């Protein structure tokens, strides 16, 4: 029963769009109709600044971290733990509460990786921050960073290699429009 309930719960938690909630709390425009029109941390930063963006990032990260930690604490099999992480990301990308139109799941993915392999997760966040500080293009930082997750998992022989690979591929595929804009030279900076 828990093997089904926990991934479903992870999906529902992932479906809470923190960018929209934070923008409402800060009396900012809806991120789906401003800036890049993506309900994520970078767009919240564009329309509201550092503090709303930090709140969005933190909540999105918790959406990935908490369901995975819950599954681990309940001593669920690895497949259930992995499904909780993937379902949290899918909830963020295809949120039930917002017509299945969500963000890119980068911060949610960071939360999942932190729960599975905290050293890899912490390293990835630092890499993402470093790239963002240097070039200020969120999509490049995200694609590079999430692509490192399965490589690092493979190098340390983590049991979560396949989970991180699936999650990373999903997030990179979600960035296909960004990749197109990067190719055309029209991608927005943060």
């Amino acid at each position: 029963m828990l093997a089904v309930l926990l991934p479903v719960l992870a999906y529902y938690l992932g479906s809470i769009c923190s960018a929209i909630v934070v923008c409402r709390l800060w009396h900012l425009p809806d991120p789906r109709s401003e800036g890049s029109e993506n309900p994520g941390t970078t767009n919240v930063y564009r329309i509201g600044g550092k503090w709303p963006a930090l709140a969005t990032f933190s909540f999105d990260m918790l959406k990935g971290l908490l369901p995975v930690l819950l599954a681990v604490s309940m001593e669920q099999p690895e497949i259930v733990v992995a499904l909780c992480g993937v379902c949290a990301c899918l909830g963020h990308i295809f949120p039930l509460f917002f017509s299945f139109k969500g963000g890119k799941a980068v911060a949610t993915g960071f939360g999942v990786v932190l729960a599975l392999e905290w050293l890899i997760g912490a390293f990835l966040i630092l890499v993402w921050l470093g790239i963002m500080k240097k070039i200020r293009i969120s999509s490049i930082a995200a694609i590079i960073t999430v692509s490192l997750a399965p490589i690092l998992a493979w190098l340390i022989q983590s049991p979560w290699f396949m989970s991180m690979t699936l999650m990373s591929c999903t997030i990179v595929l979600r960035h296909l429009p960004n990749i197109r804009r990067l190719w055309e030279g029209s991608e927005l900076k943060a």
Side-chain angles (χ1 to χ4, degrees), residues 4 136 162:
V4 173
R136 304 193 57 77
M162 288 306 296

Side-chain angles (χ1 to χ4, degrees), residues 72-117:
V72 169
S73 73
M74 297 179 96
E75 299 178 352
Q76 293 300 299
E78 285 182 13
I79 187 68
V80 175
V81 174
L83 272 172
C84 285
V86 170
C87 287
C89 288
L90 288 175
H92 183 87
I93 295 169
F94 305 108
L96 177 67
F97 309 121
F98 297 98
S99 305
F100 302 100
K101 295 176 184 170
K104 305 257 173 25
V106 176
T108 305
F110 285 157
V112 171
V113 176
L114 275 171
L116 298 176
E117 295 283 356

